[in-house]
Each structure stands twice: as C-alpha cells, then as structure tokens.
Amino acid sequence: MSGHLIDLLGWSEVLAGFVLWLLSLPFRLVSWIVNSIGSTPRNPLDDFVGWLTGPDLTAFVAVIVAVNLVLLWATAFHLLIIMWIERKMYSRLQDRRGIMIGLGSFDILRRTLGRIPLIGRPFRRPSHLGTGFLQTVADGVKLFQKEVITPATADKWMFHAAPVMIASSTLLLFVAIPWSDGFWIMGSPGADGPVNPYGILVILAAFGVAPLGILIAGWASNNKYTLLGGMRAAAQLMSYEIPLVLSIIAVVFLSRSLDPFAIVRDQSRLLAIGGVTVPFLPNWYVFHPVLWIAFIVFFITIIAEAERIPFDIPEAEAELVEGWTTEYSGMRFGIVFGFKWLRALAGAALIVILFFGGWDGPVFTTVYVPNIATLGVGTVPVPILFQEFWFTVKVYIVFIVFVWIAWSVPRVRIDQILNIGWRTLVPLSVLAILLAALARGVNWL
Amino acid sequence: MGPQHPMTHGLWNLRIKVDGETIVDAEPEIGYLHRGYEKIMEVREFQKNVVLTDRLCYVSSITWSHAYCLACEELMDVEVPPRGQYLRVITLELQRIASHLMWLAAYGPDLGLLTALLWALRERELFLDLLQLISGARMNQNWPRIGGVRNDAPPDFDQYCRKVIAHFRKKMDEYANVFEQSKLFQVRTVGVGRISREDAMDWGVTGPNLRACGARIDLREMDPYDAYPEIEFEPAVARDGDSYARYKVRMEELKTSCDLIERALDKLPAGPYRAKQPRRAEGEAFRRTEDSRGEALFYVIGDGDDRPYRVKIRSPIFSTMFAAPLMMRGNKVADVVAIMGSIDVCVGEIDK
Amino acid sequence: MAGDGEFLAALRDRFGAALRDLSLVRDRVIRLAIDRKDLVAVCKFLKEKFDVEHVTCITAVDWRDHFESVYHLTSWKRNVMIQVNASIPHDDPRIDSITPLWNGANVHEREAYDLMGIVYDGHPNLTRILLPKDYEFHPLRKDFPQELDRQYVSRRKIGGG
C-alpha cells in the first residue's frame, strides 16, 4: 500500500502553533514592557502566554484549523471540480460542448499574458474550445452578488436554519471521512495506523441529518411546491437510510470493524476467497461475489440519498420548479445546491472506502523532496503515487458513473421510489446480510 | 400548476384538486395567449392571412397555413396543380416530423430524461434545414398559397431530402431504444392517463391521441386531400389509450412520415405549382386536415369582398385539453406531467 | 356517393318542413339549415340514426340581422360530415345546448358564448374561456369596433373601389 502525502493534523498543528504564536505577540510585548518597568520577573501575562502557546490549546486549535482546511478544500477544490466534471460530461452526453469559459475568454488577459510564449498558452485558447473551469467560479461570483431574498411569510428562524443544517451535516461528513492515512481529523493515532472505532457509524449519522434540514427548508418556505418537495425528500431519504445501513452490515461481516481505516487496511492485502489466494487482485470487497448484492443495493441507495436523477423527484424541475430549494436565492441557494453535490461526493467516497479499497493503490517509486517544515533541511519521501491521489481518482470515477446514470434515464415517481426502497431494496439488503453471515459462518471469507 | 410552470409548454393554467397525492379533479384554464385571430383575419385579405395562420401553432406551422389554404380553395373553387399538391404533401410530412420531434424533445425532460431534449432537437435541425431549403425560413415559413405553393423546390431538394430521411431512419431506432429500453420510462407511462375510446370520441379527441385508443381514424386516409389519395400508407394505431400508447403512435408516425415523403418524392410530377386565385370570394366553405395533433378545421365565409367575412379555426388540442381531466383522475400529481406531455399541447392553437 | 342519397332522403322524410336548406356540398358532406328550435331534435336524430359521435366544431357567425350557430358534426363510422346552420334572431341570442348529447361540444359552445355572446341553454358551465372572466364585451360581433390599420387597406379600397 502506498503512503500518504498530507499529514493533516500534523500540518494543522504547525499552522495552529504559528497562528497562536502570532496571537501571543501583543501579549508578549505588553508583558515585556511590564517586566521591564516593574520588578517582578514573572507576571500573569506570562502564564497566559504560556497557556496560549502550550500544547493543549495548540492541539485544540489544530483541530479547528484542520476543519477549516477541510472546508476550504471541499468547496474550493472538490466542488469546483465536480461541478466542472458534471457539466462538461453531461454536455458531451447531449452532443454539445458545454461550459467553455476559460482563461482564454478574457480579452485583456489574451492580449497581455497571452503574449508570453510558453506560460501564455492557456490564455490563447480559442473561445469555442475553452475548458470551462472558470464557469463554475463565475457562477459562484454570480450567486454571491445576488440579492438574498427571504419570503415575507416564511418562518424566518427555520428558513435560515435549514441551509445551515444541510451545510454543517455535509461538512461533518467530510470531517468524518478520511482521505488517506494522514488526511483525517476524526480518529486517533494507533499502532498500525490511525484508529477510529466507530467511524462508519458517524458517517451514516451525518448522512441522516440532512433529511431533517431538507424537510425544514421545504416547510419553512411557506410555498406549496416546496412543501411537496420537502415531504417527498423526507420520505425518500428516510426510507433509503434503511437499505443503506443494512448493506453496510453485510460489509461489516467481512471487515469485522466499523473503522474506515481498518476497512481500508483490510482491503490492501491480496484477495483470498475460500482459502484460494488470487495473486494480482487486492482484497477490495467489490471482488467478493458474496457482497455483490450489497454493493448494488448500496450503490442505488447512495444515488437516492444524494437525490440525483433517477431519484430526484424532490427537485423535479418539470413539476416543482426547484423543489424544496425554490425560495432560496443568492448564496443561500448556492450553499444548498453546492452541498447537495458535496453529499453526492461524500457518498461516492463512502462507496470507495467500503468497496473499492479506499486509498489503496500501488506505489511505483518514491521521490525525495526538500522538507518545507524544516525550511529545506532534510528530505521527505513522497510516494508516487500517493494515497490521496488514488482515493481522489477512485472517488471521481464513481462520481462520473453517477453523472452518467443521471443523465441517461428518466425520473422515477415518488410512490415508485418508495416502492423500490421498501419492497425491493430492503429485502435485498437483508438477503445480502444473510449471505455474508453464511459465508462468515462457513469461514469462507 | 401554472401559468408560469416548467411543465406547461406554453402558457396555460391547470387547477387540480388533490387528495394527498392522488388527483380527484382537474380543470384547465386557457386564454393567456389569446390574440384575437378570428377578428384580425376578417380585416386582412385572403392571401395575407397565411402569414397569420402560420403562427397559430408555431411548432407545426405549414400544416395550419395549408389547412387555411385548402378551405379558401374550397371557397374560391380553385384547383391546385399536381406538382403543387405533391410539394405540399412533402412539406407537410416534413413539418409533421419536426413537430413530433419537438414533442419528443419536450416529453423527455418532463419525465426527467434531460438528454432527450438535445438529441431530438439535433435531428429537428436537419428537418428545419430542409424546410429552409424549400421555403426560405425554418419556422413560420409563409409558404403555402391559395392555389398551390409560393415557389418551387430547388433542384437539389430531392437529394438532400432523401439523405436526411436515410440518416433519420437510423437515428429513430436509437431514440426509440433510449426510451423504450429504459424500464423507468415504461413504469412512468404504461397505464398512466388511460382514456377509453368511447370517451375520447365523445369528448372530441382526434389525431394521434385518438389513434392511441385503438381507433384507426386518420384524416389523410378517411378524407384525403392534395396528393394523399395517390400515395398509400398505413396510419399508426395503438391499443391501450395510455401515455405509452400515445408515445408509440407518434414514434410510429415518424416512420410513416418518412415513408410518405419518399413515396411522394418518387412520384413528384413536373409542371406548374400554383394556380391563380380570384381576388374576391362569396359563399362558405370548410375543410379539415390531419394536423400533427389531430383534426384541424377551417371554416371560411366570404361575402363578395376580398377579405373573409368570418374565419373559424378549429384546433385539435382545444378539445383534447378539456378531455385531459378524464385522463388525470385517479393518477398522482407526478403523473400530470407525463399525461399532459403525451398529449402534445401547443397553446398557440388553443388560444388563437 | 350512394349513402349520401339515403342520408338526404331520411332527413327530408323526418324533418321536411323544418329544413330551410338541404344539400350535398361535396362527396360525403351534407349541409342543413334549420331554425334554432329544431336543433336538439335534429341532433338527436343524427346521433341515433347516423352514428354521429364527434362534434368537430361549433361556429358562431354574426350576419348583422341574425346570428347563426354552425355545427360541424362528424360520423367516424360512416365517414360523413354534416354541417348544420341554425339561425338565431339577433335580439334574442339563445339556443339550446347540445352538450348533453356530446361532451365535445362543451368547449366550443363556451368559446362561441365568450366571443359572440350567444347563450347556450342547458350548458353545464357557460363561462368565458378565452377572455378574462370579467370582460364585458363580445369581440367577434360586427358592432365591436375593428382596429383597421391603414397600412393594410389600399387607397382604392378606401376610395370605395
């Protein structure tokens, strides 16, 4: 298994230490002044500065800094990229080019930076062949500068609380899902690697908060369409939680742990079914025939949880305009819309952790780069390719499959969705559990 | 639901009474697009009204102008020369294909299949290009004239037409696959919006919506006009009367229209394409045609002036729209879109 | 067509005196002209004896001295169209509704009422359909002013030619 590149908590601690040191400077100054004026060698300010730069507070602030870094990374990196992937990909499915605003769309840049021979190539790209990655940035800017309207008859507190709930639960998802051996926040260091005994449970619980937020958003907007959308969303999401959890139980029979780190570690050894070791395949759970039903059920329920087509009846444009998000405008709409996408990405990440080996991937070579933390003294080994890269690639591939499915099939009606959830998926997931239990009981795994 | 609503292609309002998610009753409200056509047409000369009739249903404009020209020819007792008749048949069928493709492009997104919009419009572009080749405009062509057509087809029209039709036949199978092989589509449309044949006939439903109930009623066959008596074809009929049947009938009609165009191109005679029409007319006449959506009828009364005294426009969807509540009762709110989409509403012709 | 002769004969036998005009417009198209009081009787006869299932259109015409309600009825089974012109006096624009016979007449009668002002007795819901509900006029009448755009009227015409 490869090694990690980013040691999130370590770097956050360094950053936190730096921030706290900066914060402590005025106090140090005052303390020095007091000390030089007065005669006492120590004063309470010194104790305060000691506490401020001490290990306990640093560890605490490190977590806060790490959470902020994850938020930034999720929105600035992932959100922009998945928006771009989705829009470009479904445009190509529809036989058109799609979004095309790129660096070459700005005439000023074309005339100034485009003159530079090598670096200016992106700026010289013709407009009809643009890459389109600046479109998502433009959409964000557009949403920021729009007027934020609250309907007069809406329930103000609930109306404002709902996007906060949705955003915070999605952020909790990103905090709980580790991205590699070093890129994690929830957990503790252990002997073999990080340990997070009930990580999967936390992730599932965070998935389960959003239906409440959606229902509140739909109800508080005081609009019959959003209410309909919110009710449908609540019914759909809550009923699909059950096959979600049940199919994870089937996986747990195989992994014997709810710890995402342990699950990934278990998947990095070679595949062995019934005592027969397959030499070149890793032990990804998707290769176990026993778990195929669980995989399919889990895949479908994640699509339903993320409210993507074919399960997007809560946001069915043709009937409900924008569903439960209709009354939100400006960046509030941006938040609910964007975090819906991030929930889909988190669902894809969960699929990858559980079935596709997480951040497991081969290492081809190791490169030694200068160590930034010690200002260039010494080198740090960087594995090529590192764990975050493998995880990101796998998550994006799963996300691309989501997009592919979404833009090729029509929408399912709400009662049919509930039918599928309760009458097809729940029995299937129970069957999956039975199969996994049987295989474990026979010691076939 | 409406009048501003993504479901309503065009501006009309639907009031539904629901019990939970089940529809108990429905009532369409129209008139948002009323332009006073019948009053305007009394002021303009007979020939100038063709420009107006194009815009009745802008998606399927040649069929409407052609119906008006037929009624006026009946009134003025003008006989259209054979080449004009065949050219009319060819462009009518091209327009019918374009109209059905527009319906498909609107129906897919109604059900959630957003890709269908782009694909169907892509093929429709080919047919609009053909219509532009022959008449100079993609939509609202102002091409039929009382007594024939405005201009002759260019010499390469035959070749392009055949090429497009050959290409389209292959694409049609692809689209039919995308829709029919998707179990979700079947689940959304089979059994949804059922109407019996007797109810449909009683409420004035005609065209593909009636043929989907099992009635082999196609005015091109029963009451033919222009060159239709000389070209043989099989109208598309389905049996169940639900949304899936209406969908099948229209997809089948795309094939029928392709066949009709090819046969008409084979038989296209040479000669004049327009007969001279008198300036004034007296009397009354009516003519009905098979529009893309059903039975369109124009009733024109002249009183010796060079303008009509009264023009009455009968739109097929006018009657079908008010038969829709029968289709909707008992279904869910989410089915409203599937049902109204399968009827193929064009509000321009309803509101006149 | 042979069947048309039978139609005409049957109608003449049944309604003889009430018919002001009975003619064959073209193959498979029959035209009757009656007074408004015979409308329901004629329509019932057509529905029962001639299998008329479909009301294609109902037109209201303003002839300045009388109204006319023109019905276009279709029999799909026999592939025949029948045009019934029912004349209505100008000062009493009422006529019986044929909605009880065919539901398809419902919308057409509403439109005729809306635009021309002819009241159809017996209609279940005679309200305006195309114009706003509180509109006060009936625009298709000849005394409702017509917006004549001089651009479309030639000088010869204005001069009376």
Side-chain angles (χ1 to χ4, degrees):
Chain A
M1 180 150 92
S2 174
H4 63 265
L5 175 70
I6 300 171
D7 182 11
L8 185 65
L9 283 178
W11 294 8
S12 307
E13 220 168 303
V14 169
L15 206 56
F18 179 64
V19 166
L20 286 173
W21 179 82
L22 278 180
L23 270 182
S24 70
L25 280 181
F27 298 105
R28 281 188 213 255
L29 186 65
V30 171
S31 155
W32 177 81
I33 292 173
V34 165
N35 275 347
S36 20
I37 296 176
S39 56
T40 50
R42 275 187 78 77
N43 61 52
L45 268 180
D46 279 329
D47 289 334
F48 180 68
V49 168
W51 174 79
L52 203 58
T53 49
D56 302 325
L57 189 63
T58 310
F60 179 69
V61 175
V63 172
I64 296 180
V65 168
V67 168
N68 278 310
L69 281 180
V70 162
L71 171 65
L72 200 64
W73 166 80
T75 50
F77 178 75
H78 279 302
L79 187 57
L80 293 184
I81 293 186
I82 57 179
M83 278 173 74
W84 180 79
I85 289 181
E86 165 138 21
R87 290 169 79 163
K88 257 320 210 202
M89 191 170 156
Y90 77 67
S91 312
R92 290 311 293 163
L93 280 177
Q94 291 170 353
D95 197 20
R96 57 189 178 95
R97 286 189 192 272
I99 53 178
M100 295 214 277
I101 295 187
L103 285 172
S105 312
F106 296 99
D107 203 37
I108 299 179
L109 294 179
R110 187 185 283 271
R111 275 184 278 138
T112 53
L113 292 177
R115 297 272 174 81
I116 308 173
L118 199 61
I119 310 175
R121 280 210 69 190
F123 297 96
R124 285 196 298 266
R125 226 181 146 90
S127 311
H128 69 276
L129 291 176
T131 47
F133 68 90
L134 278 187
Q135 176 73 53
T136 53
V137 174
D139 284 335
V141 170
K142 171 197 80 173
L143 283 175
F144 266 117
Q145 53 98 32
K146 273 197 197 262
E147 179 185 0
V148 176
I149 302 175
T150 312
T153 44
D155 188 336
K156 272 223 202 45
W157 283 107
M158 294 283 114
F159 190 75
H160 294 158
V164 171
M165 285 177 68
I166 297 169
S168 53
S169 68
T170 313
L171 182 59
L172 183 58
L173 270 176
F174 271 91
V175 163
I177 294 179
W179 220 260
S180 79
D181 270 343
F183 199 112
W184 49 267
I185 298 176
M186 199 174 278
S188 44
D192 275 337
V195 166
N196 183 12
Y198 300 107
I200 301 288
L201 272 186
V202 174
I203 296 173
L204 290 177
F207 258 115
V209 173
L212 189 60
I214 294 172
L215 185 59
I216 290 177
W219 176 81
S221 306
N222 195 18
N223 178 346
K224 58 182 180 294
Y225 291 118
T226 60
L227 182 61
L228 209 54
M231 294 282 185
R232 286 174 173 178
Q236 173 183 319
L237 294 174
M238 285 189 221
S239 53
Y240 276 77
E241 302 270 336
I242 296 176
L244 189 75
V245 174
L246 289 180
S247 46
I248 291 188
I249 295 179
V251 173
V252 166
F253 267 105
L254 191 51
S255 71
R256 286 190 283 191
S257 163
L258 280 175
D259 180 358
F261 298 104
I263 292 177
V264 171
R265 238 173 283 133
D266 190 43
Q267 289 181 72
S268 38
R269 56 188 171 83
L270 285 178
L271 180 61
I273 301 183
V276 178
T277 311
V278 178
F280 45 85
L281 281 180
N283 188 25
W284 293 1
Y285 293 155
V286 77
F287 293 139
H288 287 261
V290 153
L291 282 184
W292 282 345
I293 297 181
F295 172 62
I296 292 177
V297 168
F298 192 71
F299 198 82
I300 297 177
T301 49
I302 286 285
I303 297 184
E305 283 287 323
E307 278 178 40
R308 298 194 62 85
I309 304 176
F311 297 107
D312 78 332
I313 207 80
E315 196 218 309
E317 288 162 12
E319 306 156 39
L320 300 179
V321 193
E322 276 293 325
W324 54 272
T325 63
T326 315
E327 294 290 344
Y328 288 100
S329 57
M331 205 48 191
R332 230 175 255 150
F333 175 73
I335 288 179
V336 289
F337 210 56
F339 278 82
K340 217 152 50 108
W341 255 316
L342 285 179
R343 261 183 102 221
L345 191 74
L350 195 55
I351 291 182
V352 169
I353 287 182
L354 287 175
F355 289 99
F356 284 104
W359 47 82
D360 175 39
V363 181
F364 299 112
T365 177
T366 311
V367 169
Y368 289 89
V369 292
N371 192 350
I372 306 175
T374 57
L375 297 173
V377 178
T379 54
V380 170
V382 172
I384 305 293
L385 297 143
F386 44 95
Q387 285 171 351
E388 287 88 354
F389 173 81
W390 285 121
F391 196 59
T392 313
V393 161
K394 289 185 209 172
V395 168
Y396 280 139
I397 290 179
V398 174
F399 187 76
I400 285 175
V401 175
F402 282 172
V403 173
W404 193 359
I405 295 176
W407 293 92
S408 315
V409 294
R411 192 179 287 141
V412 194
R413 215 171 57 202
I414 184 66
D415 61 319
Q416 292 160 352
I417 294 181
L418 295 177
N419 259 346
I420 294 175
W422 287 101
R423 290 180 26 180
T424 314
L425 290 181
V426 168
L428 273 182
S429 50
V430 170
L431 180 65
I433 294 180
L434 290 177
L435 280 178
L438 193 63
R440 171 57 72 195
V442 172
N443 255 333
W444 190 55
L445 297 171
Chain B
M1 303 170 88
Q4 293 102 347
H5 195 278
M7 169 220 15
T8 62
H9 304 291
L11 217 57
W12 57 279
N13 198 357
L14 180 69
R15 315 178 89 214
I16 44 179
K17 212 187 256 187
V18 267
D19 178 14
E21 279 248 357
T22 315
I23 299 177
V24 169
D25 200 7
E27 187 198 330
E29 273 181 13
I30 55 175
Y32 290 90
L33 209 56
H34 179 65
R35 294 164 278 179
Y37 258 76
E38 296 172 356
K39 189 85 175 166
I40 299 179
M41 286 168 104
E42 291 173 12
V43 188
R44 308 184 60 153
E45 287 141 31
F46 280 102
Q47 188 52 61
K48 290 189 178 172
N49 281 326
V50 173
V51 170
L52 286 176
T53 52
D54 263 342
R55 285 151 175 80
L56 269 174
C57 177
Y58 27 83
V59 171
S60 165
S61 39
I62 284 193
T63 51
W64 281 97
S65 305
H66 168 251
Y68 172 73
C69 288
L70 277 179
C72 288
E73 281 152 18
E74 192 72 28
L75 177 68
M76 301 173 177
D77 212 4
V78 174
E79 170 129 6
V80 181
R83 186 173 174 88
Q85 289 180 356
Y86 272 90
L87 282 176
R88 275 179 171 183
V89 164
I90 294 172
T91 45
L92 275 176
E93 295 305 319
L94 284 174
Q95 184 74 81
R96 192 185 309 270
I97 295 180
S99 170
H100 284 329
L101 281 174
M102 185 72 222
W103 160 80
L104 196 63
Y107 198 38
D110 278 348
L111 296 176
L113 184 57
L114 289 130
T115 313
L117 173 75
L118 276 304
W119 287 1
L121 284 181
R122 181 184 59 188
E123 304 322 309
R124 187 167 174 258
E125 286 295 314
L126 297 171
F127 288 96
L128 293 181
D129 282 344
L130 275 179
L131 286 168
Q132 182 180 16
L133 190 61
I134 196 170
S135 68
R138 285 150 48 97
M139 292 172 67
N140 298 331
Q141 293 91 349
N142 189 16
W143 192 65
R145 292 283 180 269
I146 302 174
V149 293
R150 182 179 76 194
N151 57 271
D152 202 356
D156 49 358
F157 181 71
D158 187 285
Q159 170 204 0
Y160 277 126
C161 210
R162 288 185 201 272
K163 214 160 125 175
V164 166
I165 301 253
H167 165 84
F168 182 59
R169 279 190 203 273
K170 286 188 297 226
K171 282 290 181 185
M172 241 193 307
D173 293 327
E174 200 181 307
Y175 297 152
N177 262 345
V178 165
F179 275 93
E180 282 157 37
Q181 300 229 346
S182 155
K183 192 89 188 348
L184 291 170
F185 178 72
Q186 310 243 354
V187 150
R188 284 302 294 273
T189 51
V190 172
V192 164
R194 184 160 274 157
I195 188 170
S196 69
R197 191 177 136 158
E198 290 71 32
D199 273 337
M201 281 198 200
D202 189 33
W203 281 86
V205 178
T206 51
N209 299 321
L210 184 60
R211 288 198 280 282
C213 301
R216 190 196 160 107
I217 293 175
D218 188 333
L219 286 175
R220 294 172 287 177
E221 196 188 29
M222 289 177 77
D223 192 6
Y225 41 90
D226 277 348
Y228 282 113
E230 297 156 31
I231 310 177
E232 37 180 68
F233 73 103
E234 273 287 311
V237 179
R239 222 154 9 113
D240 295 319
D242 54 11
S243 300
Y244 188 68
R246 290 188 277 269
Y247 157 84
K248 283 298 278 186
V249 164
R250 288 201 180 86
M251 297 301 273
E252 196 61 39
E253 278 196 356
L254 288 174
K255 288 207 188 78
T256 314
S257 292
C258 286
D259 291 335
L260 268 168
I261 295 176
E262 287 188 334
R263 286 185 201 141
L265 279 173
D266 287 335
K267 290 186 172 179
L268 187 62
Y273 49 85
R274 184 177 180 182
K276 190 117 176 74
Q277 118 242 9
R279 191 165 274 283
R280 291 156 203 271
E282 182 159 12
E284 62 175 17
F286 71 91
R287 205 57 173 91
R288 56 180 180 165
T289 61
E290 178 78 16
D291 180 60
S292 316
R293 287 165 181 77
E295 176 191 14
L297 178 140
F298 268 86
Y299 175 53
V300 185
I301 303 179
D303 65 344
D305 201 4
D306 57 354
R307 283 137 225 263
Y309 184 80
R310 172 85 165 96
V311 177
K312 172 75 168 99
I313 305 165
R314 191 263 180 190
S315 149
I317 298 289
F318 192 51
S319 311
T320 314
M321 166 86 87
F322 286 85
L326 267 105
M327 297 179 198
M328 285 201 254
R329 278 188 204 125
N331 287 301
K332 306 268 186 306
V333 172
D335 291 325
V336 169
V337 198
I339 298 170
M340 293 315 293
S342 68
I343 293 179
D344 192 8
V345 170
C346 178
V347 187
E349 61 185 48
I350 298 177
D351 284 344
K352 303 191 253 293
Chain C
M1 203 193 99
D4 295 338
E6 288 168 22
F7 265 109
L8 295 174
L11 282 166
R12 209 169 284 124
D13 287 334
R14 177 83 168 72
F15 292 106
L19 293 178
R20 294 193 192 159
D21 175 37
L22 176 63
S23 57
L24 201 59
V25 174
R26 56 173 182 270
D27 191 22
R28 296 169 172 279
V29 177
I30 298 172
R31 182 180 184 277
L32 319 167
I34 53 173
D35 189 51
R36 62 172 170 169
K37 56 182 173 14
D38 305 314
L39 178 67
V40 179
V42 168
C43 288
K44 271 213 184 88
F45 183 70
L46 288 172
K47 180 173 178 179
E48 284 152 21
K49 294 283 186 280
F50 290 144
D51 300 317
V52 169
E53 314 107 333
H54 174 60
V55 176
T56 297
C57 192
I58 301 178
T59 310
V61 189
D62 181 358
W63 286 108
R64 297 203 172 95
D65 55 349
H66 68 278
F67 286 116
E68 209 174 41
S69 184
V70 184
Y71 298 82
H72 287 100
L73 307 165
T74 311
S75 166
W76 294 125
K77 194 162 156 196
R78 296 174 188 247
N79 197 6
V80 168
M81 268 196 98
I82 302 149
Q83 176 180 328
V84 182
N85 291 46
S87 71
I88 305 169
H90 208 269
D91 45 7
D92 180 29
R94 309 183 74 93
I95 189 172
D96 292 323
S97 161
I98 58 170
T99 305
L101 291 172
W102 299 287
N103 277 315
N106 192 324
V107 255
H108 294 115
E109 290 182 347
R110 276 179 77 184
E111 187 194 346
Y113 163 69
D114 188 7
L115 293 175
M116 195 66 89
I118 297 178
V119 175
Y120 288 86
D121 295 320
H123 191 282
N125 176 27
L126 195 65
T127 52
R128 286 187 179 267
I129 188 171
L130 289 178
L131 295 168
K133 295 277 192 296
D134 51 354
Y135 200 68
E136 289 165 9
F137 310 98
H138 297 288
L140 266 184
R141 292 199 177 179
K142 289 293 176 186
D143 50 9
F144 189 82
Q146 183 68 271
E147 299 278 339
L148 273 180
D149 188 355
R150 290 183 76 88
Q151 204 179 1
Y152 296 110
V153 183
S154 61
R155 270 182 247 153
R156 174 170 60 92
K157 176 90 183 167
I158 294 172

